[in-house]
Amino acid sequence: MTELVIRGGTVIDETGERRADVRVADGRVTEVGSGLSAGAGATVLDAEGCVVAPGLVDIQVHFREPGREDAETIETGARGAALGGFTAVVAMPNTTPPFDDPAVVKSVLEAGRRAACEVNVAGCITLGRAGVELAPMGELYELGVRVFTDDGDCVPTAAVMRRALEYARALPGAVISQHAEDPSLVAGGHMHEGEWSSRLGIPGRPAEAESIIVARDLELVRLTGGRYHVLHMSTARATELVRQAKAEGLRVTAEASPQHFSLTDEACASFDPVFKMNPPLRSDRDVAAIIAGLVDGTIDAIATDHAPHVPEAKAQPFEEAPPGMLGVETALAVTLTKLVEPGSLTMHDALALLSWRPARIAGLEARHGRPVAPGEPANLCVIDPAEQWVPDGERMASRSRNTPFAGMKLTGRARHTVLRGEPVVIHGEAQR
Amino acid sequence: MKHLLSIDDLGPVGIEAILDLSESFSEVTQREIPKVPALRGKTVVSLFYEDSTRTRISFETAAKRLSADTMSFTISSSSVKKGESLLDTVQTIEAMGIDAIVVRHHAAGAPHRIAQWTDASVINAGDGRHEHPTQALLDCFTLRRHRGPSLAGSRIAIVGDIRHSRVARSNVKAFAALGAEVTLVAPPTLLPESLAGWPATVSYDLDAVLPDVDVVYLLRIQRERAEASRFPSLREYTSRYGLTVERAARLKPDVLVMHPGPMNRGVEIAAEVADGPASLVREQVTNGVAVRMAVLYSLLGSSSAYPRVDGMRPTHARSTDAPKEGAR
């Protein structure tokens, strides 16, 4: 096993912040202190001016394997994630076949073992994500699955949602995650419903489709005592509902995606479907509420909803292109540029949202988001908070190109990423 | 101007200029040989992803009367059904060497996408629910002939399925740009979710609006909207929002009635009204050719924006009356 010395950086983890070098050997952090020497054969990772942090954790990615390996694979998706500073991801189950079968989940976990970041799997709530019969949640749990969701398909009926929340209570650490958009209200819709959709003539998806489902589900959480997570929350009203539920003590968490705190529905006026996603880009007011939720802790995590689509799928009119965008390589930079640079969050806050809090939501806290301290698993990232760069879909690790942040000036980028003690990214270059 | 994607591309001055040019071409269309060599050697392709015989034929007639070569690419006879992307289709057409693409598509913004992928001029012949700028221009042209020289102060009610109508989205902007006062009349379920930024007022009550209007512009009502419970039934729609014979009898004597076609006689418009003396429906169709000639010529014609062409005398008189850009 490689010995690494990460030299010259500032360590920031959940416990605080300090100038220190970090030695890694045999997959673990072995020493944290100043002026650490590098033995013969040790690899030195330069962290001058950088932040040394626990690796980032993305609890919502779509790596398209199995089924759409032309758009992304576990290998390419994980490589992009590692380049983005992530050491763990949770892959969503809208694959073909979906993750409602232990054999499929096993094959994905197996493929993930060779990847540049740890690939975990979210299991389906219902068979075929059809919203009717429960998937074998217990069997999937035995394979390590902790997050259950029907992904882009919201569980449509209160009765099925109630059963899922009840059943999962027997699975410690399991969480029922919801793509909260009422299917009957968003049917046929392609962007946020409001001034812009009306003007552009693009059928809309109202914000209330989200808050209606969140409100319903929170009632069911109270009824069942279950544990609930809101995927990519995007509206002011849903944020307020979650805030109230937390104050009441319900077991609820929520995540937001970088696109929902950095872009608005006005971007759709270009008719470029790179700005098409679900939930859709919202209004200024929603963006402000999401940022407020991230600042006051109502929203626990930042997750990307990384959703690759082959270029030809996006070379269509807005209404005909599939929803979704790349996210793993830009999430950190968008967070730093849009939230930390303007002073809404500190670097420590941002890392909480990108590392240890999502790790806990997804049951990954034994390995990820750990303090940078001797004996801890060496899943780390080194962030240059000052690097200025402009995303370019053509230069990303993904098999797809659909980033809405192309051409945007961003500040901050992962420089090195260490997975289980191995450097998987060195100076922005993927090593596997 | 390279493309005509939206009425926004023109503004009041641009609209007036197209209308002035249309007057000249209207004269051409009435000649014994209604043809000028203005676009000889140019190739205009119509790319229609939706059936619309009337709009396609109007554009193709306009192109032919300007002596352009025309090609027609319709979905049923094309590779689109084989799963070709819009981008591939456009690149294939462009490879044949063309000057303009006239696009009709069921998705909003399709012409805007195409304009980013081609060197040819793109003309929006209707995109989803978004816009239908040449319809708005021919409607302005028709109205200006009856109520001109200016539409300033004209009160126009647009009645019907505003929500799903590209004609409404273009016409509201064009009518308002020329100074008309526009009222949208529809049940709430057929209005857009938001009317922020629309230069129009709204009413749910046709009978309250009709006594004051100069023009009633009716939109086609589709049976599917009733099936989707946008309103209870066609019968109820007609009783509340149709221009029936009884309602038409209460209009001011000089009121004009318009419809972009195709009409549902007996639903949004009574047959007697459609064929009555107040109806401009057929004139709208006739004027469509001249206005589309003006659009094609503005985009593809040589040298300056509105040059004189052999045997043609463009009238510039009205453009001096047009509001100045930025003075809106």
Side-chain angles (χ1 to χ4, degrees), chain A residues 293-318:
Chain A
L294 288 161
V295 168
D296 75 7
T298 299
I299 299 171
D300 305 86
I302 292 168
T304 65
D305 192 10
H306 181 79
H309 290 289
V310 291
E312 48 271 33
K314 289 286 192 180
Q316 297 283 7
F318 196 92

mmCIF file of all heavy atoms in Angstrom, chain A residues 293-318:
data_model
loop_
_atom_site.group_PDB
_atom_site.id
_atom_site.type_symbol
_atom_site.label_atom_id
_atom_site.label_comp_id
_atom_site.label_asym_id
_atom_site.label_seq_id
_atom_site.Cartn_x
_atom_site.Cartn_y
_atom_site.Cartn_z
ATOM 1 N N GLY A 293 -32.395 27.988 3.442
ATOM 2 C CA GLY A 293 -32.499 26.667 4.053
ATOM 3 C C GLY A 293 -31.151 26.002 4.244
ATOM 4 O O GLY A 293 -30.927 25.299 5.236
ATOM 5 N N LEU A 294 -30.247 26.233 3.317
ATOM 6 C CA LEU A 294 -28.886 25.698 3.464
ATOM 7 C C LEU A 294 -28.164 26.411 4.606
ATOM 8 O O LEU A 294 -27.410 25.804 5.361
ATOM 9 C CB LEU A 294 -28.105 25.875 2.157
ATOM 10 C CG LEU A 294 -28.515 24.957 0.999
ATOM 11 C CD1 LEU A 294 -28.026 25.522 -0.335
ATOM 12 C CD2 LEU A 294 -27.973 23.542 1.203
ATOM 13 N N VAL A 295 -28.411 27.701 4.732
ATOM 14 C CA VAL A 295 -27.724 28.490 5.747
ATOM 15 C C VAL A 295 -28.233 28.142 7.154
ATOM 16 O O VAL A 295 -27.446 27.981 8.091
ATOM 17 C CB VAL A 295 -27.897 30.005 5.458
ATOM 18 C CG1 VAL A 295 -27.441 30.851 6.640
ATOM 19 C CG2 VAL A 295 -27.131 30.389 4.195
ATOM 20 N N ASP A 296 -29.554 27.967 7.297
ATOM 21 C CA ASP A 296 -30.077 27.751 8.659
ATOM 22 C C ASP A 296 -30.175 26.270 9.040
ATOM 23 O O ASP A 296 -30.657 25.937 10.120
ATOM 24 C CB ASP A 296 -31.418 28.476 8.855
ATOM 25 C CG ASP A 296 -32.597 27.788 8.161
ATOM 26 O OD1 ASP A 296 -32.438 26.672 7.625
ATOM 27 O OD2 ASP A 296 -33.693 28.381 8.157
ATOM 28 N N GLY A 297 -29.726 25.386 8.156
ATOM 29 C CA GLY A 297 -29.677 23.976 8.514
ATOM 30 C C GLY A 297 -30.950 23.201 8.218
ATOM 31 O O GLY A 297 -31.016 22.000 8.464
ATOM 32 N N THR A 298 -31.949 23.881 7.669
ATOM 33 C CA THR A 298 -33.157 23.150 7.255
ATOM 34 C C THR A 298 -32.797 22.109 6.193
ATOM 35 O O THR A 298 -33.309 20.995 6.196
ATOM 36 C CB THR A 298 -34.196 24.139 6.689
ATOM 37 O OG1 THR A 298 -34.537 25.069 7.715
ATOM 38 C CG2 THR A 298 -35.440 23.420 6.212
ATOM 39 N N ILE A 299 -31.912 22.498 5.307
ATOM 40 C CA ILE A 299 -31.414 21.572 4.283
ATOM 41 C C ILE A 299 -30.082 21.018 4.772
ATOM 42 O O ILE A 299 -29.183 21.768 5.140
ATOM 43 C CB ILE A 299 -31.279 22.288 2.924
ATOM 44 C CG1 ILE A 299 -32.663 22.787 2.486
ATOM 45 C CG2 ILE A 299 -30.681 21.345 1.885
ATOM 46 C CD1 ILE A 299 -32.639 23.703 1.279
ATOM 47 N N ASP A 300 -29.989 19.682 4.797
ATOM 48 C CA ASP A 300 -28.861 19.004 5.440
ATOM 49 C C ASP A 300 -27.695 18.754 4.510
ATOM 50 O O ASP A 300 -26.582 18.512 4.983
ATOM 51 C CB ASP A 300 -29.330 17.648 5.977
ATOM 52 C CG ASP A 300 -30.524 17.789 6.897
ATOM 53 O OD1 ASP A 300 -31.661 17.809 6.384
ATOM 54 O OD2 ASP A 300 -30.309 17.917 8.120
ATOM 55 N N ALA A 301 -27.960 18.699 3.219
ATOM 56 C CA ALA A 301 -26.915 18.223 2.314
ATOM 57 C C ALA A 301 -27.061 18.849 0.943
ATOM 58 O O ALA A 301 -28.145 19.286 0.546
ATOM 59 C CB ALA A 301 -26.994 16.700 2.178
ATOM 60 N N ILE A 302 -25.941 18.858 0.221
ATOM 61 C CA ILE A 302 -25.930 19.216 -1.194
ATOM 62 C C ILE A 302 -25.677 17.930 -1.972
ATOM 63 O O ILE A 302 -24.733 17.201 -1.668
ATOM 64 C CB ILE A 302 -24.844 20.269 -1.496
ATOM 65 C CG1 ILE A 302 -25.214 21.605 -0.831
ATOM 66 C CG2 ILE A 302 -24.651 20.444 -2.997
ATOM 67 C CD1 ILE A 302 -24.091 22.633 -0.826
ATOM 68 N N ALA A 303 -26.546 17.618 -2.907
ATOM 69 C CA ALA A 303 -26.389 16.434 -3.756
ATOM 70 C C ALA A 303 -26.607 16.857 -5.192
ATOM 71 O O ALA A 303 -27.360 17.793 -5.464
ATOM 72 C CB ALA A 303 -27.405 15.359 -3.365
ATOM 73 N N THR A 304 -25.939 16.165 -6.126
ATOM 74 C CA THR A 304 -25.892 16.743 -7.482
ATOM 75 C C THR A 304 -27.058 16.361 -8.370
ATOM 76 O O THR A 304 -27.400 17.099 -9.280
ATOM 77 C CB THR A 304 -24.610 16.315 -8.218
ATOM 78 O OG1 THR A 304 -24.636 14.903 -8.419
ATOM 79 C CG2 THR A 304 -23.378 16.727 -7.437
ATOM 80 N N ASP A 305 -27.623 15.175 -8.199
ATOM 81 C CA ASP A 305 -28.576 14.653 -9.189
ATOM 82 C C ASP A 305 -27.899 14.545 -10.556
ATOM 83 O O ASP A 305 -28.522 14.785 -11.597
ATOM 84 C CB ASP A 305 -29.844 15.527 -9.260
ATOM 85 C CG ASP A 305 -30.964 14.862 -10.056
ATOM 86 O OD1 ASP A 305 -30.846 13.667 -10.387
ATOM 87 O OD2 ASP A 305 -31.967 15.545 -10.340
ATOM 88 N N HIS A 306 -26.622 14.184 -10.532
ATOM 89 C CA HIS A 306 -25.843 13.964 -11.763
ATOM 90 C C HIS A 306 -26.638 13.067 -12.714
ATOM 91 O O HIS A 306 -26.916 11.919 -12.385
ATOM 92 C CB HIS A 306 -24.522 13.299 -11.357
ATOM 93 C CG HIS A 306 -23.569 13.012 -12.481
ATOM 94 N ND1 HIS A 306 -22.765 13.979 -13.035
ATOM 95 C CD2 HIS A 306 -23.269 11.862 -13.139
ATOM 96 C CE1 HIS A 306 -21.999 13.440 -13.975
ATOM 97 N NE2 HIS A 306 -22.297 12.144 -14.063
ATOM 98 N N ALA A 307 -26.991 13.605 -13.874
ATOM 99 C CA ALA A 307 -27.882 12.876 -14.789
ATOM 100 C C ALA A 307 -27.395 13.030 -16.233
ATOM 101 O O ALA A 307 -27.845 13.904 -16.963
ATOM 102 C CB ALA A 307 -29.319 13.373 -14.650
ATOM 103 N N PRO A 308 -26.465 12.166 -16.622
ATOM 104 C CA PRO A 308 -25.892 12.281 -17.972
ATOM 105 C C PRO A 308 -26.893 11.884 -19.055
ATOM 106 O O PRO A 308 -27.702 10.977 -18.864
ATOM 107 C CB PRO A 308 -24.732 11.266 -17.953
ATOM 108 C CG PRO A 308 -24.563 10.844 -16.528
ATOM 109 C CD PRO A 308 -25.887 11.054 -15.864
ATOM 110 N N HIS A 309 -26.823 12.584 -20.184
ATOM 111 C CA HIS A 309 -27.583 12.204 -21.374
ATOM 112 C C HIS A 309 -26.673 12.384 -22.577
ATOM 113 O O HIS A 309 -25.963 13.383 -22.670
ATOM 114 C CB HIS A 309 -28.831 13.074 -21.540
ATOM 115 C CG HIS A 309 -29.887 12.798 -20.510
ATOM 116 N ND1 HIS A 309 -30.627 11.638 -20.500
ATOM 117 C CD2 HIS A 309 -30.299 13.507 -19.434
ATOM 118 C CE1 HIS A 309 -31.462 11.653 -19.471
ATOM 119 N NE2 HIS A 309 -31.277 12.776 -18.801
ATOM 120 N N VAL A 310 -26.723 11.430 -23.494
ATOM 121 C CA VAL A 310 -25.873 11.518 -24.683
ATOM 122 C C VAL A 310 -26.210 12.800 -25.446
ATOM 123 O O VAL A 310 -27.348 13.278 -25.410
ATOM 124 C CB VAL A 310 -26.068 10.285 -25.597
ATOM 125 C CG1 VAL A 310 -25.506 9.044 -24.933
ATOM 126 C CG2 VAL A 310 -27.529 10.082 -25.959
ATOM 127 N N PRO A 311 -25.212 13.357 -26.142
ATOM 128 C CA PRO A 311 -25.435 14.637 -26.830
ATOM 129 C C PRO A 311 -26.643 14.631 -27.759
ATOM 130 O O PRO A 311 -27.390 15.610 -27.811
ATOM 131 C CB PRO A 311 -24.125 14.846 -27.607
ATOM 132 C CG PRO A 311 -23.100 14.121 -26.793
ATOM 133 C CD PRO A 311 -23.808 12.917 -26.214
ATOM 134 N N GLU A 312 -26.874 13.525 -28.466
ATOM 135 C CA GLU A 312 -28.004 13.539 -29.411
ATOM 136 C C GLU A 312 -29.347 13.632 -28.687
ATOM 137 O O GLU A 312 -30.323 14.154 -29.230
ATOM 138 C CB GLU A 312 -27.965 12.343 -30.367
ATOM 139 C CG GLU A 312 -27.750 10.991 -29.761
ATOM 140 C CD GLU A 312 -26.283 10.594 -29.614
ATOM 141 O OE1 GLU A 312 -25.423 11.484 -29.375
ATOM 142 O OE2 GLU A 312 -26.014 9.383 -29.696
ATOM 143 N N ALA A 313 -29.391 13.155 -27.448
ATOM 144 C CA ALA A 313 -30.650 13.251 -26.696
ATOM 145 C C ALA A 313 -30.970 14.704 -26.360
ATOM 146 O O ALA A 313 -32.130 15.095 -26.249
ATOM 147 C CB ALA A 313 -30.571 12.417 -25.418
ATOM 148 N N LYS A 314 -29.921 15.510 -26.188
ATOM 149 C CA LYS A 314 -30.130 16.922 -25.871
ATOM 150 C C LYS A 314 -30.154 17.793 -27.138
ATOM 151 O O LYS A 314 -30.428 18.987 -27.060
ATOM 152 C CB LYS A 314 -29.040 17.411 -24.918
ATOM 153 C CG LYS A 314 -29.159 16.851 -23.480
ATOM 154 C CD LYS A 314 -30.296 17.506 -22.689
ATOM 155 C CE LYS A 314 -30.231 17.163 -21.202
ATOM 156 N NZ LYS A 314 -31.320 17.800 -20.425
ATOM 157 N N ALA A 315 -29.830 17.182 -28.313
ATOM 158 C CA ALA A 315 -29.889 17.936 -29.575
ATOM 159 C C ALA A 315 -31.311 17.889 -30.114
ATOM 160 O O ALA A 315 -31.550 17.523 -31.265
ATOM 161 C CB ALA A 315 -28.898 17.355 -30.584
ATOM 162 N N GLN A 316 -32.264 18.231 -29.267
ATOM 163 C CA GLN A 316 -33.682 18.167 -29.571
ATOM 164 C C GLN A 316 -34.311 19.448 -29.052
ATOM 165 O O GLN A 316 -33.704 20.166 -28.270
ATOM 166 C CB GLN A 316 -34.326 16.973 -28.847
ATOM 167 C CG GLN A 316 -33.790 15.613 -29.263
ATOM 168 C CD GLN A 316 -34.325 15.131 -30.607
ATOM 169 O OE1 GLN A 316 -35.012 15.857 -31.315
ATOM 170 N NE2 GLN A 316 -33.991 13.911 -30.964
ATOM 171 N N PRO A 317 -35.534 19.712 -29.441
ATOM 172 C CA PRO A 317 -36.239 20.834 -28.831
ATOM 173 C C PRO A 317 -36.417 20.601 -27.328
ATOM 174 O O PRO A 317 -36.406 19.459 -26.864
ATOM 175 C CB PRO A 317 -37.595 20.827 -29.539
ATOM 176 C CG PRO A 317 -37.364 20.090 -30.816
ATOM 177 C CD PRO A 317 -36.311 19.081 -30.510
ATOM 178 N N PHE A 318 -36.566 21.677 -26.589
ATOM 179 C CA PHE A 318 -36.648 21.629 -25.122
ATOM 180 C C PHE A 318 -37.645 20.582 -24.638
ATOM 181 O O PHE A 318 -37.359 19.775 -23.762
ATOM 182 C CB PHE A 318 -37.047 23.015 -24.599
ATOM 183 C CG PHE A 318 -36.807 23.218 -23.138
ATOM 184 C CD1 PHE A 318 -35.611 23.748 -22.679
ATOM 185 C CD2 PHE A 318 -37.772 22.876 -22.204
ATOM 186 C CE1 PHE A 318 -35.384 23.945 -21.322
ATOM 187 C CE2 PHE A 318 -37.560 23.060 -20.848
ATOM 188 C CZ PHE A 318 -36.358 23.600 -20.408
#
